[in-house]
Amino acid sequence: MKYPIVATEAPALRHRFIDKIALVYAGFIVMMLLTQLFTFESWLELVVAMDITTSLGGGYLIAGLVVGIELLALPFLLRMYLSPAFRWLSMIFGWLVGALWLFFSQWTMTVTPEFENVGFFGTIVEISPGWWAIVLSFVMLAVSSVIIWGMGPELRRRL
């Protein structure tokens, strides 16, 4: 049996201001994404220098995945017409953006404290690692969790 993949409208909001919060969060992700893409060569070098993986290719893969995850988080945040499966995937990526940056902020503060740039905005804006970077990442994670609560599809149990 074949099921057609049909784009559907975003579910109803649980709070009237949640779409505006999602729009601001999407704008922040777009700024991060654009600055990382404008300086992608130096962004690659920055991620490789973080020593998250032991290989050059692994660092390049992580840098590309971060940019891809940020890009694929936008359709859910902008309430586009999506298939239900892609809506779930984009919603998970929206939460994963905050989780990845929380990991990067913690990593640069504890493992590589000599770093001068966390990499939120690529290498255009140098943001030094520290507790405030971890707090900013945690705020991103909390905001994405609130957005998921307010705009996410409901779980339906089938008995």
Side-chain angles (χ1 to χ4, degrees):
M1 178 178 250
K2 294 183 179 181
Y3 295 102
I5 299 174
V6 179
T8 59
E9 189 175 348
L13 299 175
R14 290 189 181 97
H15 193 275
R16 61 182 172 173
F17 295 118
I18 204 75
D19 58 339
K20 293 171 181 57
I21 296 170
L23 193 60
V24 170
Y25 185 59
F28 185 73
I29 289 177
V30 166
M31 286 189 318
M32 288 173 45
L33 184 64
L34 287 176
T35 55
Q36 290 164 5
L37 287 174
F38 281 143
T39 60
F40 195 70
E41 293 84 13
S42 56
W43 161 246
L44 288 174
E45 293 171 8
L46 179 71
V47 173
V48 168
M50 285 183 189
D51 287 334
I52 295 173
T53 63
T54 56
S55 67
L56 181 69
Y60 287 171
L61 179 67
I62 289 173
L65 283 175
V66 167
V67 169
I69 287 171
E70 289 173 350
L71 180 67
L72 290 176
L74 293 176
F76 171 75
L77 295 172
L78 298 175
R79 297 179 48 84
M80 294 180 174
Y81 281 87
L82 302 171
S83 70
F86 192 73
R87 186 172 312 283
W88 277 95
L89 183 69
S90 182
M91 179 180 72
I92 290 168
F93 283 161
W95 183 84
L96 196 57
V97 168
L100 280 172
W101 282 109
L102 183 62
F103 171 75
F104 284 149
S105 299
Q106 185 272 336
W107 184 271
T108 55
M109 188 175 137
T110 57
V111 178
T112 54
E114 70 277 356
F115 254 57
E116 296 179 3
N117 189 5
V118 175
F120 283 116
F121 296 104
T123 56
I124 291 178
V125 180
E126 289 192 8
I127 299 174
S128 60
W131 284 107
W132 75 272
I134 291 175
V135 169
L136 177 63
S137 302
F138 186 73
V139 167
M140 287 173 57
L141 189 62
V143 167
S144 65
S145 298
V146 168
I147 291 168
I148 288 171
W149 167 81
M151 289 184 5
E154 293 185 20
L155 292 173
R156 295 185 195 126
R157 290 190 171 184
R158 295 181 185 187
L159 300 175

